[in-house]
Amino acid sequence: SIYEMFGNECCLSTGEVIKVIGFKINKLIASICENNEVSRFSAKVELPLNFPGLYKVVADKSPYVSVEEITKKVSIGPTRFGHPCFYSPEDIKLANLTIKRGEQITFNSVEEVNGTMAVNCGVVRNSQSHSFTLPLSQEGKFYECEDDQIYTLKEIAEWKIPKCRNRIVKLSNTLHTWDSSNPLPENFDGCLILTPVYEVQAVMKFRKDIVHILSDLDVEVKDITDCYDISSFLQPLSLEDVFERTSKEFPMVAEIMEGPSGSQKPYNLLHTGKEIVIYKKYQATRVLASEIRSDSPKRHFLIPLSYKGKFKRRPREFPTAYDLEIARSEKEQLHVVATKAFDSPHKELFSVSVGDQFLVQQCQTSEVLYEGRKKVIDVLACEQILSDAYKKVLLPMYMEGGFVEVIHDKKQYQLSEICKEFRLPFNVKVSVRDLSVEEDVLAAVPGLQFEEEITDSYLLISSTNIPVESWEIPVYRLNMSVHLLSKDVQTVVPPATKTTVEEISEEQYYMVRRYENQTLHPPPRPPKKPT
């Protein structure tokens, strides 16, 4: 018989046939790192994969000796994480391209090219991407490139720890306040050496779930792959695997092998053994919103454009005059009150007192006298509101003060109207809750800032037995495995779609913002004081 302890199989009976479908890191053993070595004073601590924080990966100083070694030890795949970068200390001469030493090579995918296994690669030169292939037989030294992205521990475990190697990471952001249960020292901001502890993922002939076997289980096994009909085993698929299927293969019927955790609908309905219809895959728009509060942690949400509640505007805060210029629009005049005093070093420009009110006009240039010399600087033209008149004034664009918006607009807006008529970020509060859902999580939040519109990947699903409604489930934030059933879909047209507001964790929030912004140029910085 099979015994289970803490979710892992602890004993396998003699003669049991299992099909190994993968290896997965179960947990990480961490040691504090000094000069790329384990500190003499560091005790080893066990970190679960959901341990909070964001980390930067330190490039491995040990080279790989061939392209084949890289493909065997490093995760290369279709998702955002599966494109590792390497460089060679020597030139690599190909038929129609020479890769220069030190040039960053991105490994995109592994496939057969003219009967030979090769890696599809790319280099970027003068903002132009050049594609080429490297055969697995290509030898030479290949070093990891520095990686400026940030990752959760779970992402590092799944994608950034090569097989048979450790990984050094640097803590980038703790995200949570330290408490006594934290295994790391208080205020720790150094490097950790992570040693993975693996588990084997397998399926068994008469079970419909995925079996997890710790890699240190003391059991002898024999490879019978060549003499056994492996088609009799179930084939587990992750949501990413399902999303990779062609659109022609949808709709499909599947049975859940491992369901997601969470009490929020529909996740609480997706339990092991449940049959579902997966109608289609697609990209959908969400508005990323955060709770407005001065202390942390803030709550974060992904709101569908179909949200049926209504919003009223809330005042925005602006730390500099430069932010006023970014926020102003042709649609309405921006009215603000100063919350911080500012003494102008130039007599040509205005000094601000707390409580001064302004109507923001436009950006322009102005000549000022600075240390006996005339200089032209960027300024913000405004009208100061006096008790019985308006006074034209100029504020230096570099001015660090503080302003809060005065709202005259009392209208209630749908989410789609806000996205169409105003520039994000935009502050609101719910004035009419969404009555189409049992509990509107946004209604209890005193204030929200809509930060940006994002596009994400979703699958549309419903239950097979009572398909009264269909649900959108996120592909990259839901840990769930299914296997496909050879059943016909009773109705190809999905029932009415229920879109929900998704509350996401602090780590997921940083990940969403990172993916959305990684191809964008950073915003221009405010002008500096003249020198």
Side-chain angles (χ1 to χ4, degrees):
S1 60
I2 299 169
Y3 300 94
E4 189 172 298
M5 185 181 295
F6 307 118
N8 294 295
E9 307 303 327
C10 298
C11 179
L12 296 170
S13 57
T14 303
E16 191 76 64
V17 178
I18 62 174
K19 177 186 175 184
V20 176
I21 59 171
F23 300 90
K24 186 179 179 183
I25 294 176
N26 176 273
K27 58 189 175 183
L28 295 164
I29 305 299
S31 307
I32 293 175
C33 172
E34 292 178 359
N35 301 320
N36 290 349
E37 294 181 355
V38 176
S39 168
R40 289 181 301 157
F41 309 104
S42 171
K44 291 184 177 180
V45 296
E46 190 175 294
L47 298 181
L49 299 189
N50 62 354
F51 186 75
L54 295 171
Y55 304 81
K56 282 196 171 183
V57 170
V58 177
D60 195 338
K61 298 291 189 291
S62 301
Y64 295 85
V65 297
S66 68
V67 171
E68 184 175 16
E69 185 189 5
I70 292 174
T71 61
K72 286 182 176 179
K73 293 185 176 179
V74 179
S75 296
I76 301 172
T79 73
R80 329 174 213 255
F81 306 114
H83 305 303
C85 297
F86 297 88
Y87 70 90
S88 169
E90 305 292 336
D91 288 356
I92 301 175
K93 294 183 179 178
L94 305 173
N96 55 356
L97 188 68
T98 298
I99 309 303
K100 298 170 186 174
R101 63 176 184 172
E103 196 166 21
Q104 179 171 299
I105 307 168
T106 302
F107 284 45
N108 292 315
S109 62
V110 182
E111 60 183 61
E112 190 175 319
V113 179
N114 300 325
T116 304
M117 294 305 293
V119 179
N120 287 318
C121 302
V123 294
V124 176
R125 294 174 178 171
N126 300 321
S127 301
Q128 293 289 318
S129 181
H130 302 270
S131 299
F132 59 94
T133 60
L134 288 177
L136 300 198
S137 57
Q138 180 78 43
E139 294 185 343
K141 290 184 177 180
F142 294 90
Y143 291 88
E144 260 189 342
C145 295
E146 294 292 338
D147 186 347
D148 61 355
Q149 293 286 356
I150 53 174
Y151 303 95
T152 63
L153 269 191
K154 186 173 184 290
E155 290 172 336
I156 290 171
E158 290 176 355
W159 289 95
K160 297 297 176 182
I161 299 186
K163 293 182 179 69
C164 307
R165 295 195 181 200
N166 296 334
R167 170 60 82 191
I168 299 176
V169 298
K170 179 170 175 55
L171 191 61
S172 175
N173 187 337
T174 58
L175 301 181
H176 295 267
T177 54
W178 187 91
D179 61 38
S180 57
S181 64
N182 192 324
L184 299 178
E186 189 172 1
N187 299 321
F188 176 74
D189 63 352
C191 290
L192 297 171
I193 295 182
L194 303 179
T195 303
V197 177
Y198 288 90
E199 67 176 32
V200 177
Q201 296 172 306
V203 288
M204 305 173 78
K205 197 160 185 179
F206 301 107
R207 291 183 60 161
K208 288 188 175 182
D209 57 347
I210 296 174
V211 178
H212 301 267
I213 307 169
L214 290 179
S215 58
D216 57 359
L217 186 67
D218 187 13
V219 61
E220 290 185 5
V221 295
K222 182 181 179 181
D223 185 357
I224 58 170
T225 307
D226 295 336
C227 56
Y228 199 87
D229 179 17
I230 59 173
S231 63
S232 60
F233 286 94
L234 300 177
Q235 178 61 48
L237 298 172
S238 67
L239 295 186
E240 291 96 326
D241 295 330
V242 175
F243 195 81
E244 290 298 315
R245 300 258 169 156
T246 62
S247 296
K248 292 179 180 177
E249 296 177 69
F250 295 86
M252 57 183 71
V253 180
E255 182 178 344
I256 298 173
M257 297 185 73
E258 278 193 333
S261 58
S263 57
Q264 186 181 4
K265 205 173 180 181
Y267 307 148
N268 58 345
L269 307 175
L270 303 176
H271 51 78
T272 300
K274 186 177 182 65
E275 291 187 12
I276 58 173
V277 180
I278 306 174
Y279 290 98
K280 60 179 179 177
K281 65 173 187 175
Y282 54 94
Q283 303 282 313
T285 300
R286 294 289 187 270
V287 173
L288 179 63
S290 294
E291 183 181 19
I292 299 173
R293 58 187 297 172
S294 55
D295 57 340
S296 61
K298 297 178 181 179
R299 297 170 71 188
H300 306 285
F301 306 92
L302 289 173
I303 311 173
L305 295 181
S306 59
Y307 176 80
K308 294 180 174 60
K310 290 189 175 182
F311 300 93
K312 278 189 174 180
R313 297 173 63 173
R314 275 198 55 168
R316 291 172 287 179
E317 295 182 3
F318 306 100
T320 68
Y322 177 74
D323 293 295
L324 296 178
E325 162 60 18
I326 292 176
R328 74 180 181 87
S329 72
E330 301 299 326
K331 186 176 182 296
E332 62 176 357
Q333 199 158 35
L334 183 59
H335 177 189
V336 295
V337 178
T339 57
K340 187 176 177 183
F342 171 78
D343 288 324
S344 172
H346 316 292
K347 62 180 178 59
E348 300 90 343
L349 306 181
F350 190 69
S351 291
V352 176
S353 301
V354 174
D356 284 349
Q357 297 193 42
F358 303 96
L359 296 176
V360 178
Q361 302 290 329
Q362 64 190 30
C363 174
Q364 62 187 60
T365 57
S366 177
E367 203 173 66
V368 298
L369 200 62
Y370 186 78
E371 294 181 349
R373 293 178 297 153
K374 287 186 176 180
K375 271 189 172 286
V376 175
I377 65 170
D378 290 326
V379 295
L380 189 65
C382 299
E383 286 186 339
Q384 185 189 11
I385 302 174
L386 303 174
S387 57
D388 55 354
Y390 295 92
K391 176 185 175 184
K392 292 189 179 296
V393 297
L394 299 176
L395 304 179
M397 200 70 82
Y398 63 77
M399 167 188 167
E400 290 188 14
F403 301 91
V404 65
E405 184 178 20
V406 178
I407 301 292
H408 301 283
D409 181 4
K410 305 300 182 186
K411 181 181 172 182
Q412 298 185 110
Y413 290 93
Q414 300 275 6
L415 179 59
S416 55
E417 291 179 300
I418 292 173
C419 293
K420 186 188 297 182
E421 296 182 25
F422 300 100
R423 183 182 296 175
L424 304 186
F426 197 76
N427 292 0
V428 298
K429 66 176 179 180
V430 174
S431 56
V432 178
R433 75 176 187 87
D434 186 345
L435 299 174
S436 68
V437 295
E438 293 177 14
E439 182 185 2
D440 184 352
V441 293
L442 300 182
V445 181
L448 285 167
Q449 181 175 76
F450 294 157
E451 297 184 14
E452 60 186 322
E453 288 186 63
I454 69 156
T455 303
D456 208 355
S457 303
Y458 290 88
L459 295 171
L460 186 65
I461 69 163
S462 76
S463 171
T464 54
N465 53 357
I466 316 176
V468 292
E469 56 191 18
S470 57
W471 299 88
E472 291 180 334
I473 58 172
V475 173
Y476 296 109
R477 286 186 301 281
L478 205 59
N479 191 18
M480 177 171 143
S481 297
V482 302
H483 73 93
L484 301 183
L485 302 176
S486 53
K487 288 185 177 182
D488 292 331
V489 178
Q490 298 300 315
T491 172
V492 178
V493 179
T497 303
K498 278 271 194 180
T499 52
T500 59
V501 174
E502 183 186 355
E503 183 166 357
I504 58 176
S505 68
E506 190 95 352
E507 286 91 346
Q508 289 172 332
Y509 165 78
Y510 278 94
M511 297 307 105
V512 168
R513 297 220 68 178
R514 178 187 68 191
Y515 304 146
E516 197 67 18
N517 294 328
Q518 61 189 358
T519 58
L520 301 179
H521 297 294
R525 301 308 307 147
K528 295 181 179 178
K529 293 180 182 180
T531 55

